[in-house]
Amino acid sequence: MSRIDPKPAGGSKEDDEDVRLMRLVGTGDTHAFEELIQRHQSLVAGTVARMLASNSDVEDIAQQVFIRVWKSAGRYTPRAKFTTWLLKITRNLVFNELRRTKRRPQVPIQTEPDAEEIVLKDETNSRPDASLLENELQEAIEKAITELPESQRMALILRRYEDLSYEQIAEILDLSVPAIKSILFRARTELRARLGKYLNT
DNA sequence: GACGATCCTTCAGGTCACCT
DNA sequence: AGGTGACCTGAAGGATCGTC
């Protein structure tokens, strides 16, 4: 079993509310638990979906995440942002699932058109066949991301889609901040290489 | 030819220094 | 804080060689 060991928290109002709810959950307050689920289920489900990209498993794993939150609530100490702790649990369960099934995501992940601006050229929209190219590019981006190694994919997702800081990503993935920088750099390099034909046209 | 041991190459991950 | 590149390290796989 993976260790959950949050570090000192920042302390926004959102965080404070999460901590308050977690303390109530720790006493067995089911209403607080329901509220906590409502507040974060889209974050968890979204992250699982992007990481796992298998619609059939997303709900199941998201459910497991909150079951683990419920079980751990009594021992929870707010030493990190609640969402960091929550995403660490999510990451552990997703990695377990990926290792259990020994597979890569099989269904393209959902990406916003502007989400991977790192590999898009501004000129794309000005071309006559822009929409066709955009669709093709979109598919290529999705495919390229799903083919990245687990750690690169997870770091990229947490950075681009969840907008987490390097420190938070490092905490969630159990790595140093420089390691995260390196992983993200390689992920972007890999994406550029895979999407080179779109960049060079 | 089959095998095991050793060496070499490649690649991903990590750290550090530096830049923006 | 975030991004980049050089460099180091370790693991994995392939190539080579010696022995049977």
Side-chain angles (χ1 to χ4, degrees), chain A residues 59-78:
Chain A
E59 206 173 319
D60 184 44
I61 292 183
Q63 204 169 6
Q64 286 180 45
V65 169
F66 286 106
I67 288 171
R68 195 166 286 194
V69 167
W70 173 263
K71 287 180 176 174
S72 307
R75 286 171 280 128
Y76 174 74
T77 50

Side-chain angles (χ1 to χ4, degrees), chain A residues 79-91:
Chain A
R79 286 182 288 166
K81 276 187 76 174
F82 174 74
T83 50
T84 302
W85 181 72
L86 184 65
L87 286 171
K88 194 166 183 173
I89 294 174
T90 305
R91 168 259 191 191

Side-chain angles (χ1 to χ4, degrees), chain A residues 21-89:
Chain A
L21 288 171
M22 271 303 283
R23 289 202 169 118
L24 289 171
V25 172
T27 66
D29 187 330
T30 55
H31 288 101
F33 185 52
E34 281 169 21
E35 193 177 338
L36 207 60
I37 291 174
Q38 278 197 341
R39 285 167 67 87
H40 299 292
Q41 67 178 355
S42 62
L43 169 68
V44 172
T47 303
V48 173
R50 291 183 190 102
M51 227 2 234
L52 205 58
S54 171
N55 293 332
S56 61
D57 294 337
V58 170
E59 206 173 319
D60 184 44
I61 292 183
Q63 204 169 6
Q64 286 180 45
V65 169
F66 286 106
I67 288 171
R68 195 166 286 194
V69 167
W70 173 263
K71 287 180 176 174
S72 307
R75 286 171 280 128
Y76 174 74
T77 50
R79 286 182 288 166
K81 276 187 76 174
F82 174 74
T83 50
T84 302
W85 181 72
L86 184 65
L87 286 171
K88 194 166 183 173
I89 294 174

